[in-house]
């Protein structure tokens, strides 16, 4: 109801080509509301004294990687533009089941519980050869479960031998808390406030009541969120 001063900062690069950057370019070209955005070039990151490694280490006081430095850079640019509130999508993958590891573990859950119809619902109409790597990982994960063994390769790709509920709980308790600590320090370093709507307890509780099949409908992760954008006329956001 209020005329909010919204601005979207989008990361770009003149030298680096990546899926994320190409995706941002495509969205800016096609969706009107994103035309009110500012292109932040990653090359400028290295010219700011606030991002000297020793200064960042003193501020964060915990292990970090280059993606966390980019979060810090975006927070700095937001403050330079006079914006003090930053909206972050952290928690979206956990709430809507956006990681590959979720699909993998749920399919293995269905196999061990003999719920094969649920597997067909996930695969949908996609050709089986598009799931070649998934089939390999399913075999490995089933083998790990038979041995009562667990292995975490990374939080996005593979949790071999883990049940879906175990991965979700682990990500909320450990991964999300760690990332929020990093991003909170990055935002506070420049006097900005970080808000994470996908971690609102009402949203988390409501989404936890929705069946996993609906979240993986037709083999698409975060299918509920994708359907919402399509219904709002933002189908380009579902092509990623």
């Amino acid at each position: 109801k209020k005329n909010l001063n919204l601005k979207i900062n989008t990361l770009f690069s003149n030298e680096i080509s990546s899926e994320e950057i190409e995706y941002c370019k495509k969205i800016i070209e096609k969706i009107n509301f994103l035309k009110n955005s500012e292109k932040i070039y990653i090359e400028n990151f290295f010219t700011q004294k606030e991002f000297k490694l020793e200064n960042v280490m003193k501020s964060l006081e915990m292990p970090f990687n280059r993606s966390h430095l980019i979060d810090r850079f975006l927070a700095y640019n937001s403050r330079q533009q006079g914006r003090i509130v930053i909206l972050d999508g952290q928690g979206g993958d956990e709430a809507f089941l956006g990681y590959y590891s979720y699909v993998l573990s749920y399919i293995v859950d269905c196999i061990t519980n003999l719920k094969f119809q649920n597997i067909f619902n996930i695969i949908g109409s996609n050709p089986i050869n598009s799931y070649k790597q998934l089939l390999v990982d399913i075999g490995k994960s089933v083998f790990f479960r038979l041995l009562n063994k667990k292995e975490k390769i990374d939080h996005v790709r593979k949790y071999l031998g883990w049940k879906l509920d175990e991965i979700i709980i682990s990500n909320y308790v450990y991964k999300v808390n760690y990332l929020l600590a990093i991003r909170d320090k990055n935002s506070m370093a420049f006097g900005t406030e970080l808000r994470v709507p996908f971690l609102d307890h009402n949203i988390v509780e409501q989404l936890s009541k929705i069946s996993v099949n609906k979240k993986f409908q037709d083999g698409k992760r975060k299918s509920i969120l994708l359907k919402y954008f399509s219904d709002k006329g933002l189908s380009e956001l579902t092509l990623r």
Side-chain angles (χ1 to χ4, degrees):
K1 294 182 180 180
K2 295 182 180 180
N3 185 19
L4 299 177
N5 181 19
L6 296 175
K7 190 83 168 184
I8 297 173
N9 288 341
T10 309
L11 197 64
F12 278 84
S13 174
N14 288 321
E15 301 177 3
I16 302 171
S17 178
S18 73
E19 180 183 352
E20 292 288 327
I21 292 174
E22 293 305 314
Y23 173 74
C24 290
K25 289 179 180 177
K26 183 182 294 186
I27 294 302
I28 282 187
E29 290 171 359
K30 293 187 177 181
I31 300 181
N32 291 331
F33 79 87
L34 279 179
K35 288 182 179 176
N36 184 32
S37 66
E38 173 143 346
K39 297 178 181 180
I40 306 298
Y41 287 90
I42 195 171
E43 286 79 14
N44 296 335
F45 172 90
F46 303 101
T47 65
Q48 307 292 340
K49 64 179 181 179
E50 289 84 357
F51 301 102
K52 287 185 177 180
L53 190 58
E54 57 268 27
N55 294 338
V56 176
M57 291 174 67
K58 289 178 182 178
S59 174
L60 292 181
E61 298 180 321
M62 59 194 301
F64 60 90
N65 60 35
R66 61 181 181 180
S67 66
H68 302 142
L69 294 177
I70 292 174
D71 290 335
R72 190 179 185 87
F73 186 50
L74 292 175
Y76 168 78
N77 275 278
S78 295
R79 195 67 179 94
Q80 291 295 103
Q81 297 167 13
R83 291 169 177 81
I84 59 174
V85 177
I86 301 173
L87 294 179
D88 190 277
Q90 187 60 50
D93 283 303
E94 285 72 28
F96 293 97
L97 302 185
Y99 291 137
Y100 170 83
S101 57
Y102 294 143
V103 180
L104 172 62
S105 295
Y106 180 62
I107 289 178
V108 177
D109 285 348
C110 293
I111 291 174
T112 56
N113 293 309
L114 304 179
K115 295 182 178 179
F116 299 108
Q117 183 59 48
N118 290 349
I119 298 176
F120 296 135
N121 291 338
I122 292 175
I123 293 177
S125 59
N126 295 305
I128 197 67
N129 60 5
S130 66
Y131 291 97
K132 187 179 296 184
Q133 185 59 51
L134 177 60
L135 293 173
V136 172
D137 293 335
I138 288 172
K140 291 180 180 178
S141 195
V142 169
F143 180 69
F144 271 64
R145 289 203 192 184
L146 290 174
L147 296 178
N148 198 25
K149 181 181 176 181
K150 296 178 181 178
E151 181 175 337
K152 177 182 175 182
I153 297 177
D154 64 71
H155 73 271
V156 175
R157 295 294 301 169
K158 298 174 187 176
Y159 280 72
L160 299 179
W162 291 59
K163 295 179 180 179
L164 177 61
D165 288 345
E166 293 173 333
I167 301 177
I168 294 173
I169 292 172
S170 174
N171 279 345
Y172 270 124
V173 173
Y174 299 106
K175 169 184 166 287
V176 171
N177 278 334
Y178 165 72
L179 292 178
L180 285 180
I182 289 278
R183 294 184 179 184
D184 193 40
K185 289 184 177 184
N186 279 336
S187 63
M188 288 191 297
F190 306 106
T192 58
E193 177 187 347
L194 181 71
R195 296 185 185 179
V196 281
F198 285 135
L199 288 174
D200 181 278
H201 73 94
N202 294 304
I203 293 177
V204 174
E205 290 169 6
Q206 288 300 316
L207 287 172
S208 68
K209 299 174 184 178
I210 299 174
S211 71
V212 177
N213 269 336
K214 287 188 176 180
K215 294 181 180 180
F216 290 147
Q217 195 166 8
D218 294 327
K220 295 179 181 178
R221 288 171 272 163
K222 297 193 281 192
S223 61
I224 296 173
L225 195 59
L226 297 180
K227 186 178 185 307
Y228 172 81
F229 284 123
S230 292
D231 292 345
K232 294 295 183 180
L234 304 174
S235 58
E236 286 85 355
L237 286 174
T238 69
L239 301 176
R240 184 180 180 188

